[in-house]
Amino acid sequence: MIIKAQVEAIYRNESRRILATLIRLLGDFDLAEEALHEAFFVAVERWQQDGVPDNPRAWLVSTGRFKAIDRLRRQARFAASQALLLAQAEALEEADWSTEDVQDDRLRLIFTCCHPALAPDAQVPLTLREICDLTTEEIARAFLATPATIAQRIVRAKGKIREAKIPYQVPSLAELPERLDSVLRVIYLVFNEGYSASTGDDLTRDDLTREAIRLARLLMELLPEPEVMGLLALMLLHESRRPARMSHSGELVLLDEQDRSLWEASLIAEGCALVEEALKTRRFGPYCLQAAIAAVHAEAPNAGETDWLQIVGLYDVLLRMLPSPVIELNRAAALAMRDGPLAGLQQVDGILARGELLDYHLAHSARGEFCRQLGRVKEARQAYEKALTLTRQTPEKRFIERRLAEL
């Protein structure tokens, strides 16, 4: 049982890194996934007899490689394309399997998943599935789509990579800028799933937020552009609040009620410095502006001293640059803090009247909060009840239930 628990822990912490390396070495997503699972299956049996190796990741990569070669040779016995499969197996045996002095395999994999030859609506689901091990159900909830739709997009994207022989590599510096937007979007979605999990008993998944921040740091080393700095700053500033976002009893704590002494000062300092550096270039974009908003929150000693005038102004600029109902909703919350709950409610009602965010629980939750503050109890209850039917996260459900009980 001890060995099994160790294998499970290694799978949780290392499987996506091992998979990324196997995809690079084998050149095929499906073959690499099969090899990964076979390697872990062998590890459960072998390690009980021989003990856990000094370098489990290298052992699993090597075992996965041999399993892939065996699989190709077995298939060759029964396939019409016997010569092709045998040639593929021999090529894998003869290939240079050294993993020294190579760039990070997960960063390579992100660029492969975000290749411009792939449909935009498939790039992010493929990356979230392969890099972060999210299920198709989790990805579907994040995109308000059906699991079958997401699964089809992922299958088509894998087929396109295989048929078009899309290279598994970080693009050249000349190619990087045109590929950057997709990669930044993917990294931010990975962070968001970790910062506010779409489902489950836990508010956050720190494995995903750590991974997103690590990937952003790697990307900044490769391409120190203002928007890369802005995204890293944004994630660091949000991550700094993690210790204060949950009470000791596991309840959700809103931003204006958080104990700011629990915020991590080192992350705030790094994030604010990156924001300042990025804004100085005057080539900033949406991530820099969102990071600037987060920095204003971080620099306020308490909620009452937050500069809401500046935050609303930054949201105005952000909306002109990137029109979005979600950004508009966030601006409504800031507007309510500056001008009162009625101003916020009018903005939210305008969004919902256009038919936007009708299935977004935070829109209804915000409406419930504004109505509660205005004493419009019946409307507040209806809005919170609607939000409760839409959220799938246990801490958020409990928070909304508390609000309903208070009403």
PDB file of all heavy atoms in Angstrom, residues 250-265:
ATOM      1  N   GLY A 250     -13.104  26.686   6.198  1.00  0.00           N
ATOM      2  CA  GLY A 250     -13.259  26.355   4.790  1.00  0.00           C
ATOM      3  C   GLY A 250     -14.295  27.174   4.056  1.00  0.00           C
ATOM      4  O   GLY A 250     -14.734  26.787   2.968  1.00  0.00           O
ATOM      5  N   GLU A 251     -14.684  28.320   4.630  1.00  0.00           N
ATOM      6  CA  GLU A 251     -15.694  29.160   3.984  1.00  0.00           C
ATOM      7  C   GLU A 251     -15.029  30.230   3.117  1.00  0.00           C
ATOM      8  O   GLU A 251     -13.950  30.738   3.429  1.00  0.00           O
ATOM      9  CB  GLU A 251     -16.584  29.834   5.041  1.00  0.00           C
ATOM     10  CG  GLU A 251     -17.337  28.852   5.929  1.00  0.00           C
ATOM     11  CD  GLU A 251     -18.192  27.868   5.151  1.00  0.00           C
ATOM     12  OE1 GLU A 251     -18.825  28.286   4.162  1.00  0.00           O
ATOM     13  OE2 GLU A 251     -18.206  26.676   5.507  1.00  0.00           O
ATOM     14  N   LEU A 252     -15.709  30.591   2.021  1.00  0.00           N
ATOM     15  CA  LEU A 252     -15.222  31.612   1.100  1.00  0.00           C
ATOM     16  C   LEU A 252     -15.242  32.982   1.772  1.00  0.00           C
ATOM     17  O   LEU A 252     -16.222  33.351   2.428  1.00  0.00           O
ATOM     18  CB  LEU A 252     -16.118  31.622  -0.144  1.00  0.00           C
ATOM     19  CG  LEU A 252     -15.870  32.691  -1.198  1.00  0.00           C
ATOM     20  CD1 LEU A 252     -14.509  32.494  -1.845  1.00  0.00           C
ATOM     21  CD2 LEU A 252     -16.971  32.638  -2.262  1.00  0.00           C
ATOM     22  N   VAL A 253     -14.150  33.736   1.618  1.00  0.00           N
ATOM     23  CA  VAL A 253     -14.058  35.095   2.164  1.00  0.00           C
ATOM     24  C   VAL A 253     -13.911  36.067   1.003  1.00  0.00           C
ATOM     25  O   VAL A 253     -12.977  35.958   0.205  1.00  0.00           O
ATOM     26  CB  VAL A 253     -12.846  35.230   3.125  1.00  0.00           C
ATOM     27  CG1 VAL A 253     -12.796  36.645   3.711  1.00  0.00           C
ATOM     28  CG2 VAL A 253     -12.906  34.188   4.235  1.00  0.00           C
ATOM     29  N   LEU A 254     -14.829  37.038   0.913  1.00  0.00           N
ATOM     30  CA  LEU A 254     -14.787  38.010  -0.173  1.00  0.00           C
ATOM     31  C   LEU A 254     -13.591  38.948  -0.022  1.00  0.00           C
ATOM     32  O   LEU A 254     -13.050  39.135   1.068  1.00  0.00           O
ATOM     33  CB  LEU A 254     -16.080  38.825  -0.202  1.00  0.00           C
ATOM     34  CG  LEU A 254     -17.369  38.042  -0.498  1.00  0.00           C
ATOM     35  CD1 LEU A 254     -18.563  38.988  -0.518  1.00  0.00           C
ATOM     36  CD2 LEU A 254     -17.271  37.300  -1.819  1.00  0.00           C
ATOM     37  N   LEU A 255     -13.205  39.583  -1.138  1.00  0.00           N
ATOM     38  CA  LEU A 255     -12.008  40.418  -1.170  1.00  0.00           C
ATOM     39  C   LEU A 255     -12.033  41.508  -0.102  1.00  0.00           C
ATOM     40  O   LEU A 255     -11.047  41.714   0.610  1.00  0.00           O
ATOM     41  CB  LEU A 255     -11.864  41.042  -2.563  1.00  0.00           C
ATOM     42  CG  LEU A 255     -10.702  42.024  -2.768  1.00  0.00           C
ATOM     43  CD1 LEU A 255      -9.361  41.317  -2.551  1.00  0.00           C
ATOM     44  CD2 LEU A 255     -10.753  42.635  -4.159  1.00  0.00           C
ATOM     45  N   ASP A 256     -13.168  42.215   0.032  1.00  0.00           N
ATOM     46  CA  ASP A 256     -13.196  43.332   0.973  1.00  0.00           C
ATOM     47  C   ASP A 256     -13.268  42.888   2.431  1.00  0.00           C
ATOM     48  O   ASP A 256     -13.158  43.717   3.334  1.00  0.00           O
ATOM     49  CB  ASP A 256     -14.361  44.284   0.648  1.00  0.00           C
ATOM     50  CG  ASP A 256     -15.722  43.597   0.706  1.00  0.00           C
ATOM     51  OD1 ASP A 256     -15.750  42.350   0.784  1.00  0.00           O
ATOM     52  OD2 ASP A 256     -16.752  44.298   0.665  1.00  0.00           O
ATOM     53  N   GLU A 257     -13.430  41.590   2.661  1.00  0.00           N
ATOM     54  CA  GLU A 257     -13.474  41.067   4.024  1.00  0.00           C
ATOM     55  C   GLU A 257     -12.216  40.287   4.397  1.00  0.00           C
ATOM     56  O   GLU A 257     -12.097  39.773   5.518  1.00  0.00           O
ATOM     57  CB  GLU A 257     -14.704  40.157   4.195  1.00  0.00           C
ATOM     58  CG  GLU A 257     -16.031  40.881   3.973  1.00  0.00           C
ATOM     59  CD  GLU A 257     -17.211  39.929   3.928  1.00  0.00           C
ATOM     60  OE1 GLU A 257     -16.986  38.704   3.973  1.00  0.00           O
ATOM     61  OE2 GLU A 257     -18.356  40.408   3.835  1.00  0.00           O
ATOM     62  N   GLN A 258     -11.260  40.195   3.476  1.00  0.00           N
ATOM     63  CA  GLN A 258     -10.070  39.376   3.728  1.00  0.00           C
ATOM     64  C   GLN A 258      -9.103  40.060   4.693  1.00  0.00           C
ATOM     65  O   GLN A 258      -9.003  41.299   4.720  1.00  0.00           O
ATOM     66  CB  GLN A 258      -9.355  39.076   2.401  1.00  0.00           C
ATOM     67  CG  GLN A 258     -10.117  38.124   1.510  1.00  0.00           C
ATOM     68  CD  GLN A 258      -9.489  37.928   0.137  1.00  0.00           C
ATOM     69  OE1 GLN A 258      -8.356  38.348  -0.101  1.00  0.00           O
ATOM     70  NE2 GLN A 258     -10.215  37.288  -0.772  1.00  0.00           N
ATOM     71  N   ASP A 259      -8.396  39.250   5.466  1.00  0.00           N
ATOM     72  CA  ASP A 259      -7.339  39.734   6.357  1.00  0.00           C
ATOM     73  C   ASP A 259      -6.092  39.974   5.509  1.00  0.00           C
ATOM     74  O   ASP A 259      -5.388  39.036   5.138  1.00  0.00           O
ATOM     75  CB  ASP A 259      -7.070  38.693   7.445  1.00  0.00           C
ATOM     76  CG  ASP A 259      -5.957  39.114   8.399  1.00  0.00           C
ATOM     77  OD1 ASP A 259      -5.365  40.203   8.191  1.00  0.00           O
ATOM     78  OD2 ASP A 259      -5.683  38.356   9.347  1.00  0.00           O
ATOM     79  N   ARG A 260      -5.817  41.223   5.207  1.00  0.00           N
ATOM     80  CA  ARG A 260      -4.740  41.541   4.268  1.00  0.00           C
ATOM     81  C   ARG A 260      -3.356  41.283   4.833  1.00  0.00           C
ATOM     82  O   ARG A 260      -2.382  41.233   4.076  1.00  0.00           O
ATOM     83  CB  ARG A 260      -4.880  42.987   3.781  1.00  0.00           C
ATOM     84  CG  ARG A 260      -6.206  43.195   3.059  1.00  0.00           C
ATOM     85  CD  ARG A 260      -6.321  44.514   2.344  1.00  0.00           C
ATOM     86  NE  ARG A 260      -7.609  44.542   1.623  1.00  0.00           N
ATOM     87  CZ  ARG A 260      -7.840  45.235   0.520  1.00  0.00           C
ATOM     88  NH1 ARG A 260      -6.880  45.990  -0.006  1.00  0.00           N
ATOM     89  NH2 ARG A 260      -9.019  45.195  -0.064  1.00  0.00           N
ATOM     90  N   SER A 261      -3.271  41.081   6.140  1.00  0.00           N
ATOM     91  CA  SER A 261      -1.974  40.719   6.712  1.00  0.00           C
ATOM     92  C   SER A 261      -1.554  39.320   6.285  1.00  0.00           C
ATOM     93  O   SER A 261      -0.382  38.958   6.389  1.00  0.00           O
ATOM     94  CB  SER A 261      -2.023  40.798   8.244  1.00  0.00           C
ATOM     95  OG  SER A 261      -2.889  39.798   8.781  1.00  0.00           O
ATOM     96  N   LEU A 262      -2.521  38.525   5.782  1.00  0.00           N
ATOM     97  CA  LEU A 262      -2.216  37.178   5.310  1.00  0.00           C
ATOM     98  C   LEU A 262      -1.739  37.170   3.855  1.00  0.00           C
ATOM     99  O   LEU A 262      -1.231  36.156   3.383  1.00  0.00           O
ATOM    100  CB  LEU A 262      -3.453  36.275   5.443  1.00  0.00           C
ATOM    101  CG  LEU A 262      -3.992  36.043   6.858  1.00  0.00           C
ATOM    102  CD1 LEU A 262      -5.271  35.209   6.812  1.00  0.00           C
ATOM    103  CD2 LEU A 262      -2.951  35.367   7.729  1.00  0.00           C
ATOM    104  N   TRP A 263      -1.919  38.275   3.146  1.00  0.00           N
ATOM    105  CA  TRP A 263      -1.472  38.327   1.752  1.00  0.00           C
ATOM    106  C   TRP A 263       0.056  38.219   1.702  1.00  0.00           C
ATOM    107  O   TRP A 263       0.752  38.744   2.582  1.00  0.00           O
ATOM    108  CB  TRP A 263      -1.910  39.628   1.102  1.00  0.00           C
ATOM    109  CG  TRP A 263      -3.396  39.718   0.843  1.00  0.00           C
ATOM    110  CD1 TRP A 263      -4.344  38.812   1.200  1.00  0.00           C
ATOM    111  CD2 TRP A 263      -4.093  40.783   0.190  1.00  0.00           C
ATOM    112  NE1 TRP A 263      -5.588  39.230   0.802  1.00  0.00           N
ATOM    113  CE2 TRP A 263      -5.470  40.439   0.181  1.00  0.00           C
ATOM    114  CE3 TRP A 263      -3.691  41.975  -0.389  1.00  0.00           C
ATOM    115  CZ2 TRP A 263      -6.438  41.268  -0.387  1.00  0.00           C
ATOM    116  CZ3 TRP A 263      -4.657  42.807  -0.966  1.00  0.00           C
ATOM    117  CH2 TRP A 263      -6.015  42.451  -0.966  1.00  0.00           C
ATOM    118  N   GLU A 264       0.561  37.527   0.696  1.00  0.00           N
ATOM    119  CA  GLU A 264       1.998  37.269   0.612  1.00  0.00           C
ATOM    120  C   GLU A 264       2.721  38.465   0.004  1.00  0.00           C
ATOM    121  O   GLU A 264       2.603  38.748  -1.192  1.00  0.00           O
ATOM    122  CB  GLU A 264       2.252  36.001  -0.219  1.00  0.00           C
ATOM    123  CG  GLU A 264       1.708  34.745   0.460  1.00  0.00           C
ATOM    124  CD  GLU A 264       2.144  33.475  -0.229  1.00  0.00           C
ATOM    125  OE1 GLU A 264       3.256  33.460  -0.800  1.00  0.00           O
ATOM    126  OE2 GLU A 264       1.364  32.507  -0.216  1.00  0.00           O
ATOM    127  N   ALA A 265       3.483  39.155   0.862  1.00  0.00           N
ATOM    128  CA  ALA A 265       4.118  40.419   0.473  1.00  0.00           C
ATOM    129  C   ALA A 265       5.128  40.240  -0.653  1.00  0.00           C
ATOM    130  O   ALA A 265       5.256  41.111  -1.527  1.00  0.00           O
ATOM    131  CB  ALA A 265       4.793  41.048   1.691  1.00  0.00           C
TER     132      ALA A 265
END
